[in-house]
Amino acid sequence: MQGQVYDGFYARFLGGFSLRYREKEILIGMGLQSRPVQFLLLLIKAGDKGAERKDLLALVQNVGNDQKRQLNNFYQHMHILREMILELCLPEGKYIVLRKGRYYFTTDHRVRTDIGDLDGLIGQLKKKERTGEGRRKLCKDYCRGYGGEFLPQLAGEGWVTIEGAFYQRWYGRCLEELYGFYKEEGRYEEILELSSAASQLHPYDGWQAKMIESLLALGRYKEAEQVYREASQLLYGGLGANPLDQVMAGYRQGARKTAFGVGSLVGLEQSLWEEDAGAPYHCSYPSFQDTYRIIARMGERQESKGLLLLCTLQSSLTAGDGRMADRIRLASGDTIGNDTAGCAPAEDSRRAIARKALEREMLRLKGVLVGSLRTSDVYTRYSENQYLALLVGAGTEDGENILTRLERDWRSAGGRDMRLDLEVQQVESSTEEVGDGERDIRSACRQPGEFHLAGTGHMAG
């Protein structure tokens, strides 16, 4: 809604109140908590339909059930409101109009609101025949138009609480429907985008669980752990409970599930073997952490412990260069619509193309890793554009050979549109005290850049 110019008044209620006439903002001198201003808010919210007197009377306190006194207070508030309207820089016209028993903010200008737009979407969503792609679009439009809490400055007012709960409930419904659509199709990037926005708007509603689920599905385990830690502190502090524990517990249980007891050691030994042992071992990031720590401890008794390899693809999505996305689009045959003929693609479309291209190149890089690493090596997806590999028992010369193969195989695989950065350092155990946070790969090793093999660094295909 922001940035658009409307022919008439436009008011925003979600996330905070603002009123504009075309491109000009109207500043209200009195505080929103005053009754005359709340009258104004109700009239603007009612728009072309107008508000009944009983709706406005409900805002006036009725002391001792004295209806005559309540009515006098009502007229007094209306008088103050009309006096306030005269002081505002409003376009010429009639304001605070009474017509056929209903009150209107104005009858001379169009009045549009963010919640009015959402009301229109709700009306369409209530029609059960709207299914499939049409319903999905309505839900997406609602989520994009939903700007947060209804009049947060008036959170203690009863009518504000009722209205806010109504629009927030529909926001949750639309999110859940989109979540169902996207999860069935495996579109976890879209789920992550929606749940991230919802977590910002309503941090205590537990939408971080969907963020964590999406990050785990995308193999971005480090980010999932970070979201979990931050959300845990927030939810424990605000609610005294953490609904995300169930999500992480379920993930860890699934990742480390063991079979039921076996009748002999032979049966147990057979269950531990992997089906395909002819390639480098791929595992989740938590399993990679465990493997790294075991190798680091074993290295205390051995001279050779191994090397840690970080492979990073520098793409338009991570570097912020939109021109690379255009080159990738032309090379791959992807097409997107332009806003107008001859204009550049929209930013979100450009990023969608870059993200798609990045995932395609990450699959290419995975194939290169499988072909270049040894069967004794371990690797994992560390982030959206990075792989981590543990070169078990490798020394400096072994590392140089592996990096040479990686560079050669990356060129041979056609990796020319994205730059591959390679960084290597020795595996080292640490006996130093650490803080309360869980130790990760970076904190278990020396800082990146302290140890590099000859011939590594940036390379362009």
Side-chain angles (χ1 to χ4, degrees):
M1 303 297 179
Q2 296 181 353
Q4 299 187 39
V5 178
Y6 297 98
D7 185 17
F9 287 97
Y10 180 79
R12 179 172 60 89
F13 287 82
L14 299 173
F17 180 77
S18 66
L19 178 65
R20 305 183 69 88
Y21 179 75
R22 295 183 178 175
E23 71 279 2
K24 180 182 178 182
E25 184 172 2
I26 307 298
L27 298 177
I28 300 175
M30 297 180 65
L32 297 185
Q33 291 79 8
S34 65
R35 293 303 173 191
V37 174
Q38 291 193 44
F39 279 12
L40 176 63
L41 297 178
L42 271 178
L43 294 177
I44 294 175
K45 176 183 179 297
D48 298 336
K49 297 179 180 179
E52 295 185 48
R53 178 180 294 180
K54 64 179 180 64
D55 297 328
L56 298 170
L57 273 172
L59 297 180
V60 182
Q61 186 177 7
N62 189 357
V63 180
N65 199 25
D66 188 344
Q67 296 183 355
K68 184 176 181 180
R69 183 177 178 182
Q70 182 186 27
L71 193 59
N72 288 335
N73 289 338
F74 166 77
Y75 287 127
Q76 183 179 4
H77 292 322
M78 290 297 294
H79 175 74
I80 296 174
L81 176 57
R82 288 191 170 95
E83 291 292 328
M84 184 185 70
I85 289 291
L86 294 176
E87 298 178 0
L88 299 179
C89 298
L90 300 179
E92 185 176 349
K94 295 180 179 180
Y95 297 93
I96 317 303
V97 178
L98 174 61
R99 179 177 296 173
K100 296 181 180 181
R102 303 184 75 88
Y103 288 85
Y104 300 83
F105 167 58
T106 180
T107 55
D108 294 334
H109 303 278
R110 186 184 179 192
V111 180
R112 186 175 177 181
T113 66
D114 56 349
I115 54 178
D117 294 341
L118 296 186
D119 287 336
L121 294 173
I122 291 172
Q124 297 182 64
L125 286 167
K126 287 181 177 179
K127 298 177 182 179
K128 300 300 183 182
E129 63 270 17
R130 294 300 296 267
T131 58
E133 192 62 35
R135 188 169 185 84
R136 184 182 308 193
K137 183 180 184 304
L138 291 174
C139 289
K140 289 174 65 175
D141 289 343
Y142 190 99
C143 292
R144 289 170 179 166
Y146 181 82
E149 186 179 353
F150 180 85
L151 293 178
Q153 304 94 326
L154 298 175
E157 296 289 339
W159 72 277
V160 171
T161 301
I162 294 173
E163 294 291 337
F166 174 78
Y167 293 108
Q168 184 176 343
R169 184 165 60 249
W170 272 101
Y171 179 57
R173 290 179 182 178
C174 290
L175 283 175
E176 289 292 351
E177 287 200 40
L178 290 174
Y179 170 74
F181 288 136
Y182 291 145
K183 185 174 183 181
E184 184 177 352
E185 298 171 0
R187 297 170 62 179
Y188 289 99
E189 287 284 0
E190 284 82 352
I191 296 176
L192 179 60
E193 181 179 353
L194 289 170
S195 56
S196 178
S199 299
Q200 294 292 324
L201 295 175
H202 299 290
Y204 293 103
D205 285 1
W207 290 108
Q208 296 91 336
K210 297 291 192 296
M211 291 181 62
I212 294 171
E213 179 183 353
S214 302
L215 289 169
L216 292 176
L218 293 169
R220 294 156 63 176
Y221 307 110
K222 179 69 175 177
E223 296 174 62
E225 291 280 357
Q226 181 66 24
V227 171
Y228 171 75
R229 284 194 292 268
E230 293 176 355
S232 295
Q233 294 177 358
L234 174 70
L235 295 173
Y236 273 126
L239 303 177
N242 185 9
L244 305 184
D245 284 340
Q246 184 177 1
V247 177
M248 295 303 290
Y251 164 68
R252 291 190 173 106
Q253 182 180 3
R256 300 174 180 176
K257 185 185 300 182
T258 58
F260 290 105
V262 294
S264 66
L265 188 60
V266 175
L268 175 59
E269 192 269 344
Q270 290 177 349
S271 69
L272 294 176
W273 279 103
E274 56 182 314
E275 294 182 0
D276 182 13
Y281 185 72
H282 178 263
C283 61
S284 65
Y285 178 70
S287 297
F288 189 92
Q289 284 181 310
D290 293 338
T291 304
Y292 179 94
R293 292 164 186 172
I294 293 172
I295 296 298
R297 291 192 179 199
M298 292 173 58
E300 295 178 359
R301 295 188 175 186
Q302 304 172 2
E303 292 184 2
S304 177
K305 287 171 279 192
L307 299 172
L308 185 67
L309 167 67
L310 177 65
C311 305
T312 304
L313 282 184
Q314 297 293 353
S315 74
S316 60
L317 186 63
T318 57
D321 182 7
R323 292 172 298 176
M324 187 176 291
D326 292 336
R327 296 198 300 271
I328 296 170
R329 173 173 59 87
L330 295 174
S332 62
D334 291 339
T335 58
I336 59 174
N338 295 342
D339 294 334
T340 56
C343 295
E347 184 63 25
D348 55 348
S349 299
R350 189 192 305 277
R351 288 183 64 82
I353 290 175
R355 181 174 286 109
K356 179 180 177 181
L358 173 59
E359 193 59 33
R360 187 163 53 237
E361 293 302 306
M362 286 297 286
L363 287 175
R364 190 199 306 270
L365 178 57
K366 181 178 179 180
V368 170
L369 283 173
V370 171
S372 301
L373 299 181
R374 305 164 302 173
T375 57
S376 60
D377 297 331
V378 182
Y379 73 100
T380 187
R381 180 82 172 258
Y382 184 63
S383 69
E384 189 176 27
N385 64 318
Q386 293 177 308
Y387 277 105
L388 267 176
L390 183 59
L391 313 180
V392 181
T396 301
E397 184 177 350
D398 298 320
E400 290 177 345
N401 293 334
I402 292 174
L403 291 176
T404 300
R405 288 202 302 270
L406 279 174
E407 293 178 355
R408 181 196 63 211
D409 294 347
W410 176 249
R411 293 193 186 95
S412 300
R416 297 182 177 86
D417 293 315
M418 298 187 183
R419 191 180 71 193
L420 175 63
D421 290 348
L422 303 173
E423 197 171 6
V424 180
Q425 59 189 42
Q426 291 177 338
V427 173
E428 290 190 0
S429 59
S430 175
T431 58
E432 298 178 0
E433 294 289 334
V434 296
D436 295 334
E438 182 181 1
R439 182 190 300 274
D440 60 13
I441 290 297
R442 293 189 184 276
S443 63
C445 303
R446 289 192 288 186
Q447 292 300 314
E450 289 189 7
F451 174 76
H452 296 280
L453 292 180
T456 66
H458 301 318
M459 60 158 287

